[in-house]
Every structure is written in structure tokens, then in C-alpha cells.
Amino acid sequence: MIYIYMVVLVGIVVGVLCFYALRSIAKNQNEEIDTQRQKRYALHKQAVTELDQMLARAEIQQEHYEEELEQLNRRLVDEMDSSHAKLVPATRTQTKPKFVLVILVIPVLVAALYVVLGQPVIDPARDLRETGDVKQFLDQIQSLEQKVAADPTNLQQQLMLARSYRVMGRYADSIIAYGKSWDIIQDNASELALFAEVLALERGGFEGKPDELLAQAQSLDPSNLDVLMLVGQSALQKGNYALAIESLQPVQNALEEEGEDTQWLQLQLEAARNALAN
């Protein structure tokens, strides 16, 4: 609790200093870019899911699987780098003479907070998408595991661990971590969809709990691309081609608007339409 008080105190002090020192604050203009990144990652997730399913069905060899997975990861990194280059810089701010005081005081306050609270926890899965550094990713997971072991009640760290295990293909471990972070994901459509995905990959199908989670996610956000993608995959798996088309078509439309390659999705839609026609 004392940590919370210290954070609040530092925030108040910095806020007051900035109020008198700064004339205006730069505004974040990157929301649209973040949305594009989420859509790109949705495409990547589906490709990895299909690759995992092909491996499970013995349609490809392990060596080929690893090569394809590495290519998918590299492609995602390239796309994220391209998105990063489009980030809109924040507007410059005009300052008053007291800005010098802010420059001197804020680093001291931040340093004091850093000493008390320790090093900020990095989300390994998110960092991997941005850097593509696999070795760093593995080191970050090891560090995160130690932090979670020291404080298992930290649900945000549990969620980071769940995401990281999912990226590694450690679905059983990811499921456990998702379960422990339930209180902070039960109202988040995207996280519920990812939880459903790892359950389906571990079990070999969406029947049961994965479909229940997808239904819960869809009730929260019917237009969420992660949810629609996985509902479509579940429908394809069950032979419900009408629902598959209804779910996957909006995903394809959204991705095409961003200039993404949706050929793989088009093939799935065509197969569903042909099956429905017959």
C-alpha cells in the first residue's frame, strides 16, 4: 500500500510542476496506428494457428514447421517496423522558465520511485513483436517467471506470462496463467478470445470451454477481429459454413482496407461457400 501512496505522491508533485512549467502537453496521435498493428497481429495469429494445426495433423514436418514459423515471425516484425515508421510525432510544447526546475526534479523523483518499486516489468510477447529478438524474449520470460513466483497475486504479470507462453507454443502453461489472471480478462473480448484459442490448440478443437469463452467474448464486443476470426475457425471446424462466412468476411474486409494479404482467408471463404453450395 505504501508503494501506491508513493506513486500517487510523485504523480501529484510532477503534475503540479508541469502545470506551472508547461504551457501545453503533447497529445498522442498514434491510436490509428495501434489499431492497424492489432489487425496485423490478428492475421499473424491466424497464420500461426493454421500452421500449428497442420503440424498436429502431420501435414508438415517439424523442420518445415519451424522454418515457416520463423518466416511468419520475421514477417510480423517487418510489418510492425513499417507501422512504427508511420507514427505521428507529438506536437512540440512551449515552456516557461520553471521548465528547468522540472528537468531537475522529475529525474530525481523517477529515480527514487525506481529504487523503491524496482525495474518495470516488460511484456515479453509485446516486446518480441516490436523487436523480433528471440534471445531477449527468452531472457524476459525467465525474468517474468521469477517475478510471478515472487508475487503470484500480480494478475497483470500472470497475463503477460500467459501471452508469452502462448507465443512459445506452451499452451498448457498458458492456460494455467490465463486462468490465474481471470479477474482482469473476463471483461476483455480480445484476451478471452486468446484464452479460447490456446484451449482449442491444447485440446485439438473448440468444442466446450473454448466455444463458451468465444461466446462470452462476442457478447462483449461482437465486432472484435480476434473474436470473429476464432468464431469463424470454430465454425469451419464444425462444418457450420454459413456462420464461418458470416464471421470471417468482416475480418477479410477489415484487413483488405489496411492493404494486407488476405489470400489465405479468401481460400477459406471460398471453401466454405463451395461446401455450403454443395
Side-chain angles (χ1 to χ4, degrees):
M1 184 63 69
I2 189 173
Y3 291 168
I4 297 177
Y5 291 149
M6 292 188 66
V7 171
V8 173
L9 180 59
V10 171
I12 292 174
V13 173
V14 172
V16 171
L17 290 174
C18 289
F19 177 79
Y20 287 104
L22 303 177
R23 186 174 183 178
S24 63
I25 300 175
K27 295 182 179 180
N28 189 339
Q29 302 178 353
N30 299 329
E31 182 177 355
E32 181 178 352
I33 300 300
D34 289 340
T35 299
Q36 294 175 3
R37 284 182 170 181
Q38 291 175 7
K39 291 178 180 178
R40 288 188 177 93
Y41 188 50
L43 178 62
H44 173 75
K45 286 187 300 183
Q46 179 56 32
V48 172
T49 298
E50 291 183 348
L51 193 61
D52 288 336
Q53 292 173 350
M54 292 175 65
L55 179 64
R57 293 192 298 264
E59 295 179 1
I60 59 175
Q61 299 296 322
Q62 180 68 33
E63 182 178 355
H64 186 203
Y65 168 84
E66 293 176 355
E67 292 176 354
E68 291 294 328
L69 184 60
E70 178 66 19
Q71 291 180 7
L72 287 174
N73 288 335
R74 291 300 176 188
R75 179 182 175 184
L76 179 63
V77 172
D78 292 341
E79 291 173 346
M80 290 302 180
D81 288 342
S82 175
S83 175
H84 179 74
K86 299 176 183 178
L87 291 177
V88 181
T91 58
R92 294 183 178 179
T93 60
Q94 297 179 351
T95 65
K96 296 181 179 181
K98 290 185 179 180
F99 181 62
V100 175
L101 179 61
V102 176
I103 294 178
L104 295 175
V105 174
I106 288 182
V108 175
L109 293 174
V110 172
L113 187 62
Y114 183 89
V115 170
V116 173
L117 299 182
Q119 184 177 4
V121 179
I122 297 174
D123 187 337
R126 181 177 301 171
D127 197 55
L128 177 64
R129 294 197 303 270
E130 296 176 354
T131 66
D133 191 329
V134 177
K135 182 181 182 303
Q136 177 178 275
F137 171 67
L138 297 176
D139 291 340
Q140 289 171 345
I141 289 179
Q142 184 177 9
S143 175
L144 180 58
E145 287 174 332
Q146 293 172 354
K147 291 181 181 295
V148 169
D151 183 12
T153 62
N154 189 316
L155 302 188
Q156 193 61 47
Q157 292 182 8
Q158 291 281 7
L159 179 55
M160 290 181 189
L161 200 57
R163 294 170 181 157
S164 299
Y165 286 152
R166 174 186 167 276
V167 172
M168 296 176 71
R170 294 171 56 179
Y171 302 127
D173 292 330
S174 180
I175 290 170
I176 293 173
Y178 267 122
K180 291 180 179 179
S181 61
W182 176 253
D183 286 348
I184 62 173
I185 71 170
Q186 59 181 324
D187 296 321
N188 186 310
S190 290
E191 295 299 346
L192 286 174
L194 295 182
F195 190 7
E197 180 188 34
V198 295
L199 275 170
L201 289 170
E202 177 67 13
R203 296 181 176 186
F206 286 90
E207 193 73 33
K209 189 63 175 179
D211 278 335
E212 292 177 12
L213 290 172
L214 287 177
Q216 182 176 345
Q218 199 163 28
S219 69
L220 293 170
D221 186 0
S223 61
N224 184 285
L225 293 183
D226 291 331
V227 177
L228 289 173
M229 181 79 74
L230 292 170
V231 168
Q233 293 306 309
S234 176
L236 284 175
Q237 193 176 81
K238 298 179 179 65
N240 189 344
Y241 301 113
L243 178 58
I245 295 170
E246 179 184 347
S247 301
L248 295 178
Q249 188 62 64
V251 178
Q252 183 189 35
N253 294 341
L255 294 178
E256 285 183 342
E257 288 181 4
E258 302 302 328
E260 298 290 348
D261 180 8
T262 61
Q263 182 178 5
W264 62 272
L265 193 52
Q266 180 62 34
L267 292 175
Q268 287 192 335
L269 285 167
E270 289 178 358
R273 292 190 181 99
N274 292 336
L276 192 61
N278 296 330

